[in-house]
Amino acid sequence: MAALFTRIAIETYQTEARPHAKLSPPFAKPYGRLDRAVADLAGAVGREAAPLPITEAVYFLTGLYTTLLHARERGALGAFYTPPALANRLLDMAEEQGIDWTRARVLDPASGGGAFLLPAAERMIAALPAAEPAIVLRQIGTRLVGLELDPYAAGFGQNAVELLLADVTAAAGRAAPTVVRVADTLEEAPAARFDLVIGNPPYGRVTLTPEQRLRFARGLYGHANLYGVFTDIAVRWTKKGGTIAYLTPTSFLSGHYYSALRELIAKEAPPVAIDFVHARRGVFEDVLQETLLAVYKRGAKPGRAQVHYVEVTNEREACVIRNGTIGLPSPASQPWLAPREPRHSALIAAAEAMPARLADWGYSVSTGPLVWNRYKDQMSTRSHSRPAGRSKSRPLLMRG
């Protein structure tokens, strides 16, 4: 029903706002029927979107599909679309690394409703102001690629690009190129031919087949998370000197299960810029994890990456605040210390300057709930002398 509702809304929007656009048939035909009242509501939604700028309208319309999915199904697909403010910020970060829109080949390996395909196509058009419309279409068709597992989402993403290109296709007298393909990205044979691999990959624990587990073993430690696997995939698709730009949870920075992934990233595509996203209420519905934008450079030597703090006020606007730098530890599998807020910068700098770590003093660190009464003999609120032959204790836990 989500696909049917979204399809009617998009077709109504096309009739009202972009009548010269030609929408291709869906990759998978939605099944079932909507009640007349519900179908009328879908049409009304499409008409309400008509006055909006094209990128906002398309984000709103394609987002209907994920919004209307059952929460369990949405979570299983990892289907959480990216608002224009963050999509454009991530593209700006990629541009800062030298992406040239007149020639760059761009891949979104989990393209969803086209959140990154649309602004990437916009930038390609803007970079070719003197080109004939037919040449612009050919360039976009050759250099812009989206892969998407969900055939409904893939169809809406393709329609989004067609709506954007309506003026160009009308001037050229030909249809928009097909830039989205229905595919299981985990099973696609990679070719390192893209200047930019960008996206908001799905996340969540995934059970890989034995063959997949072997294929992606270099970035795995313990259970696999989809966004970690998609990060490995991005490395494989990006050519040397190219850029990877991803929106992901922050958990890979320090989580134990991502130690192998951190080592892989540091070796193959170290980070050059990281933005921590704040004030996400209403930006990613149902997303509970902290998120970040990160840009990596394929084949570069590890150095200090610039960190920013991004305050998102709504789907269209984001405020960027410079927030220090991050250096990778040695070995890179260890947690990466990064200031998540401006006030953390001084603390991180002091921690990096420390000559010793807890391990140097014989301590180990574990995470999880503390069952305090199992460790009574190790806990103290003050330092005191130990029996003969044992060193003096130093409290690590203090009562406030």
Side-chain angles (χ1 to χ4, degrees):
M1 294 303 174
L4 275 173
F5 190 98
T6 305
R7 184 73 188 177
I8 292 173
I10 289 176
E11 289 177 347
T12 303
Y13 170 82
Q14 180 262 331
T15 300
E16 295 287 328
R18 314 283 282 178
H20 52 307
K22 298 187 184 302
L23 300 183
S24 58
F27 293 123
K29 187 176 181 180
Y31 60 89
R33 295 183 63 183
L34 297 180
D35 292 341
R36 178 62 182 271
V38 177
D40 288 346
L41 177 60
V45 169
R47 285 188 291 274
E48 285 294 316
L52 297 174
I54 178 66
T55 51
E56 291 182 38
V58 167
Y59 166 70
F60 172 67
L61 292 168
T62 57
L64 289 172
Y65 175 60
T66 55
T67 301
L68 294 172
L69 287 174
H70 189 280
R72 183 169 55 250
E73 187 175 2
R74 185 163 64 251
L77 291 170
F80 302 98
Y81 288 178
T82 312
L86 292 183
N88 280 305
R89 171 58 187 162
L90 194 56
L91 284 160
D92 289 344
M93 293 169 70
E95 278 188 15
E96 291 169 3
Q97 300 307 313
I99 292 300
D100 180 356
W101 296 108
T102 64
R103 62 185 65 193
R105 298 176 66 91
V106 180
L107 168 69
D108 184 342
S111 57
F116 292 99
L117 298 178
L118 212 65
E122 277 188 312
R123 295 181 188 219
M124 288 180 179
I125 295 170
L128 300 167
E132 293 291 329
I135 293 176
V136 173
L137 293 178
R138 191 178 307 120
Q139 286 287 310
I140 291 174
T142 302
R143 297 194 282 115
L144 186 61
V145 179
L147 303 178
E148 174 55 46
L149 180 63
D150 182 341
Y152 297 128
F156 299 141
Q158 175 63 30
N159 288 161
V161 174
E162 291 162 349
L163 289 167
L164 173 72
L165 295 178
D167 295 341
V168 185
T169 54
R174 62 177 63 181
T178 300
V179 300
V180 181
R181 181 160 57 87
V182 179
D184 182 351
T185 304
L186 273 65
E187 292 300 319
E188 290 290 303
R193 60 189 179 89
F194 288 94
D195 300 283
L196 173 63
V197 175
I198 190 168
N200 175 8
Y203 76 86
R205 188 178 296 195
V206 61
T207 301
L208 301 174
T209 66
E211 293 80 9
Q212 291 171 336
R213 185 91 195 175
L214 181 63
R215 188 183 315 144
F216 300 114
R218 65 180 187 170
L220 298 178
Y221 181 94
H223 71 253
N225 191 297
L226 267 174
Y227 86 84
V229 176
F230 268 80
T231 301
D232 187 346
I233 287 171
V235 171
R236 297 167 190 251
W237 282 99
T238 307
K239 68 183 186 182
K240 191 170 183 179
T243 301
I244 299 167
Y246 261 10
L247 189 161
T248 68
T250 62
S251 49
F252 81 92
L253 293 174
S254 58
H256 190 54
Y257 286 115
Y258 300 97
S259 57
L261 181 64
R262 288 192 293 274
E263 200 159 19
L264 170 64
I265 293 171
K267 178 182 178 183
E268 299 289 344
V272 292
I274 296 175
D275 283 9
F276 288 98
V277 180
H278 292 261
R280 291 174 291 106
R281 183 180 298 276
V283 177
F284 284 118
E285 295 298 341
D286 297 337
V287 176
L288 302 179
Q289 298 193 42
E290 283 187 301
T291 56
L292 59 77
L293 310 175
V295 173
Y296 312 88
K297 201 71 173 175
R298 182 77 167 89
K301 293 182 179 179
R304 296 197 70 82
Q306 180 62 54
V307 177
H308 290 94
Y309 174 99
V310 178
E311 185 79 32
V312 181
T313 54
N314 55 55
E315 286 89 352
R316 300 182 304 277
E317 299 174 336
C319 176
V320 180
I321 303 170
R322 194 177 178 89
N323 195 25
T325 62
I326 173 178
L328 303 188
S330 181
S333 58
Q334 293 181 354
W336 295 359
L337 298 178
R340 284 168 165 76
E341 298 179 14
R343 61 190 178 89
H344 293 165
S345 296
L347 177 62
I348 296 297
E352 288 182 336
M354 291 176 64
R357 297 291 184 265
L358 289 175
D360 298 325
W361 298 334
Y363 290 99
S364 61
V365 178
S366 63
T367 59
L370 172 67
V371 185
W372 69 271
N373 58 347
R374 295 181 184 175
Y375 301 96
K376 286 182 180 179
D377 63 331
Q378 298 180 36
M379 300 179 69
S380 175
T381 58
R382 65 182 186 278
S383 62
H384 59 276
S385 299
R386 292 285 192 180
R390 300 185 67 182
S391 61
K392 192 175 182 180
S393 69
R394 300 293 181 191
L396 294 182
L397 299 177
M398 302 293 291
R399 283 188 298 196

